[in-house]
Amino acid sequence: MGQAAKPPELLGLQVLQLFKTLHRTRQQVFKNDVRALEAARIKINEEFKSNKSETSPKKIEELMKIGSDVELLLRTSVIQGIHTDHNTLNLVLSGASGAGWRAMGRGGALSPVCAHSFLTIAAVLLTPFFSSHEENGY
């Protein structure tokens, strides 16, 4: 047998809670990066606004699962690169990703090969997201 449908009021509260959680995570993960903060704010707001009229509890729960997965990914997998000079990129590992590196005894410092691999993966994953915002000057 399937699960009983949640009352619409409860779903609405859970959607609002997810919205707020995503914005708090965005603020924490992209702290001190105005461009990324703004791009993430716009994307979160657009996604919620585009699904605002959804009435199917099943579809709402599917969308909430996607939102929760995105929040977890942001919180645990984002690495920020900060240019300190022409040849140096300082990587800031936050959340579980930073804890994982410290647990492996690296203290958050990555070798050039490892840093390059991370940046290549990040570039591939984030290019579609950020290229869509370049048109808007972000």
Side-chain angles (χ1 to χ4, degrees):
M1 285 201 215
Q3 290 181 323
K6 295 179 182 175
E9 304 82 30
L10 180 60
L11 272 178
L13 288 174
Q14 290 175 330
V15 168
L16 180 60
Q17 182 179 19
L18 177 60
F19 180 79
K20 289 179 177 182
T21 300
L22 278 163
H23 277 292
R24 278 192 298 272
T25 300
R26 165 191 70 88
Q27 290 172 335
Q28 181 181 23
V29 169
F30 298 121
K31 182 173 52 176
N32 300 323
D33 186 341
V34 175
R35 184 175 165 193
L37 280 166
E38 182 65 9
R41 184 188 68 79
I42 289 169
K43 184 64 175 171
I44 292 166
N45 290 346
E46 284 176 353
E47 289 298 322
F48 276 81
K49 189 174 187 176
S50 71
N51 292 295
K52 186 177 181 178
S53 61
E54 183 59 58
T55 58
S56 166
K58 184 176 179 177
K59 179 66 176 175
I60 292 170
E61 287 182 6
E62 289 172 9
L63 291 166
M64 287 178 51
K65 172 70 171 121
I66 292 169
S68 295
D69 291 347
V70 167
E71 191 277 333
L72 179 65
L73 183 68
L74 283 172
R75 190 169 26 90
T76 61
S77 304
V78 171
I79 298 171
Q80 285 182 293
I82 301 169
H83 285 275
T84 54
D85 63 39
H86 180 67
N87 293 321
T88 306
L89 184 65
N90 206 13
L91 296 181
V92 179
L93 307 174
S94 60
S97 59
W101 283 105
R102 285 187 292 280
M104 290 191 281
R106 297 178 187 213
L110 301 177
S111 70
V113 172
C114 190
H116 177 73
S117 298
F118 271 117
L119 293 175
T120 302
I121 292 167
V124 169
L125 293 174
L126 294 175
T127 296
F129 175 73
F130 285 108
S131 64
S132 69
H133 287 86
E134 285 179 355
E135 300 165 358
N136 298 327
Y138 299 109

